[in-house]
Amino acid sequence: IAAEIENHLISTFGGLFGYDEAGTEGTFTSGGAEANHTALLTAITAHFPDFPEHGVRSLPRQPVFYVSSQSHHSFLKAARFCGLGTGAVRHVEVDKQLRMSAGSLSDMIRRDTADGLEPFMVVASAGTTNAGVIDPLQQIADVARANGLWYHVDAAWGGAASFVSELKGYFAGMEQSDSITFDAHKWMSVPMGAGIYLTRHRGILNRTCAIETSYMPKDAAGLDIRDPYMHSMQWSRRSIGLKVFMSLAAAGKPGYESVIRHMTAMGDRLRSRLELAGFEICNETPLPVVCFRPTGVRDMQILQAIVRKIVNSGQAWISTTQLDGQGPVLRACITNFRTEAEHTDRLAELVKTYTAEVMGSEGQG
């Protein structure tokens, strides 16, 4: 039943993201990092069929793959663990909205090919960790297809927004990807860890992961059942899908649509309150990640002092981060379905109050 539940959920999520349910394959993972690692392995296997047996030494040219400067750093680890090294990770420029530039991607692929390298995969982000940015998924899909590259979309957090009708348009092109990373333990509020790797290429996981053994149970031989160890990185593992199944059984897709719509509205409310309080918003996204700072202030020490006061108050948690071309900013991310208007309004008040205190002390100093 554990295997059947997970297979059912893989098909269900594939359909939610625009794949053909019957043609979707996938596996539950410990989190997005393992799902992204799996994506890299399947992409290598699809492009270099001898890789599973002969490894990196069998590759005719240095393989390279493409991510934006805003992508999740798990791809650097995955490149190390696959034996490619971090030098195989090519960082593509982003535009003023921090989205991967499809034009720069095309130029890099052309230059790398001319230099004797072997491009094999491109990764787009559907909601970056830093600023909630959604890359131009359709444009990147076109570039990947034109160059014969595996197209992976890292939708670990932001992908859940595609379940909501008014937000789905931002994710156009994701359904054309070869694989997707999604984390149910983020916006779906399922207990950690509950990552998911999805692909529309049936059989690629077995080609990548399957190992024949004499000691594993043969009870399912001849049955239409996929043993998880045969198409994933894990062997002994928890029934990850059960908690996802129970959460969906309790809330249903309409329930998740409601809470995602609510959290997105709270993100919009926080932006408007911060702008009214005189702060500048430094990122553009429909998702509830708000990067902001006092107008004209780019001193990280000042921003960190504001964060310390807010966190020490025990009333809210925010952080600092760096944005390409923008410099240091304050960052607030709404992922708790219990966040209400009173909380966003209170945060805006706290930021205004503590900014005045910090700026006042700086001026006195």
Side-chain angles (χ1 to χ4, degrees):
I1 188 63
E4 290 293 342
I5 284 174
E6 293 196 356
N7 290 339
H8 170 71
L9 288 173
I10 291 297
S11 297
T12 298
F13 279 108
L16 289 173
F17 287 126
Y19 286 174
D20 171 46
E21 285 194 19
T24 302
E25 188 173 82
T27 183
F28 277 81
T29 66
S30 58
E34 183 187 335
N36 286 337
H37 191 173
T38 302
L40 182 55
L41 286 168
T42 53
I44 297 171
T45 300
H47 199 86
F48 304 102
D50 290 336
F51 175 79
E53 182 176 357
H54 299 292
V56 175
R57 62 190 176 90
S58 67
L59 306 185
R61 298 195 294 178
Q62 170 65 47
V64 292
F65 67 97
Y66 303 86
V67 302
S68 89
S69 60
Q70 298 295 300
S71 66
H72 197 272
H73 288 77
S74 59
F75 289 102
L76 294 172
K77 275 193 174 184
R80 288 181 180 175
F81 295 163
C82 290
L84 300 180
T86 54
V89 185
R90 310 286 284 157
H91 287 94
V92 182
E93 291 181 356
V94 294
D95 60 21
K96 291 182 179 179
Q97 287 76 44
L98 302 175
R99 304 178 305 167
M100 179 188 284
S101 166
S104 295
L105 172 63
S106 293
D107 292 342
M108 288 188 72
I109 293 170
R110 185 168 54 252
R111 289 196 303 269
D112 287 345
T113 302
D115 290 342
L117 303 177
E118 183 75 18
F120 70 94
M121 181 175 83
V122 57
V123 177
S125 297
T128 58
T129 301
N130 225 19
V133 171
I134 302 169
D135 285 330
L137 303 179
Q138 182 60 62
Q139 294 179 35
I140 298 172
D142 294 340
V143 174
R145 187 185 305 110
N147 290 277
L149 307 186
W150 184 278
Y151 177 33
H152 178 67
V153 175
D154 184 359
W157 170 60
S162 67
F163 303 163
V164 180
S165 57
E166 62 266 32
L167 297 173
K168 195 173 185 64
Y170 290 101
F171 299 86
M174 183 163 64
E175 74 284 352
Q176 298 179 39
S177 65
D178 296 289
S179 56
I180 295 170
T181 285
F182 179 64
D183 281 349
H185 61 239
K186 289 191 169 73
W187 238 4
M188 291 186 70
S189 303
V190 172
M192 293 257 311
I196 304 173
Y197 166 85
L198 301 169
T199 179
R200 58 185 176 85
H201 298 285
R202 293 185 70 85
I204 188 62
L205 280 169
N206 266 27
R207 286 163 53 197
T208 302
C209 304
I211 296 293
E212 295 294 332
T213 69
S214 60
Y215 52 82
M216 291 299 288
K218 304 298 189 294
D219 297 343
L223 300 179
D224 186 23
I225 294 176
R226 286 168 285 178
D227 286 320
Y229 89 97
M230 292 290 283
H231 64 273
S232 73
M233 296 173 63
Q234 299 182 39
W235 286 67
S236 300
R237 59 194 290 273
R238 295 180 175 182
S239 178
I240 301 171
L242 180 59
K243 54 194 171 186
V244 182
F245 181 85
M246 296 302 290
S247 296
L248 278 168
K253 184 171 179 285
Y256 278 109
E257 289 176 352
S258 176
V259 296
I260 291 168
R261 186 176 286 116
H262 171 73
M263 286 187 278
T264 302
M266 292 301 97
D268 291 339
R269 185 182 181 94
L270 178 59
R271 286 188 195 92
S272 66
R273 291 299 184 273
L274 288 169
E275 286 181 316
L276 286 173
F279 292 83
E280 60 176 318
I281 306 300
C282 302
N283 64 325
E284 293 185 26
T285 178
L287 307 179
V289 179
V290 186
C291 296
F292 63 100
R293 64 187 166 212
T295 302
V297 176
R298 298 199 176 199
D299 187 320
M300 179 60 91
Q301 290 186 339
I302 291 176
L303 299 182
Q304 288 175 338
I306 296 169
V307 165
R308 282 195 297 272
K309 284 182 174 291
I310 292 173
V311 173
N312 289 340
S313 76
Q315 298 184 65
W317 188 93
I318 65 172
S319 63
T320 58
T321 190
Q322 293 271 356
L323 298 182
D324 285 6
Q326 293 270 10
V329 296
L330 299 166
R331 176 184 178 276
C333 178
I334 299 172
T335 55
N336 192 313
F337 59 87
R338 292 190 178 94
T339 301
E340 299 291 346
E342 63 189 87
H343 303 120
T344 59
D345 295 354
R346 180 58 179 153
L347 175 57
E349 292 174 6
L350 288 171
V351 172
K352 183 177 180 180
T353 298
Y354 289 132
T355 296
E357 287 187 11
V358 170
M359 298 295 287
S361 63
E362 288 289 323
Q364 292 173 6

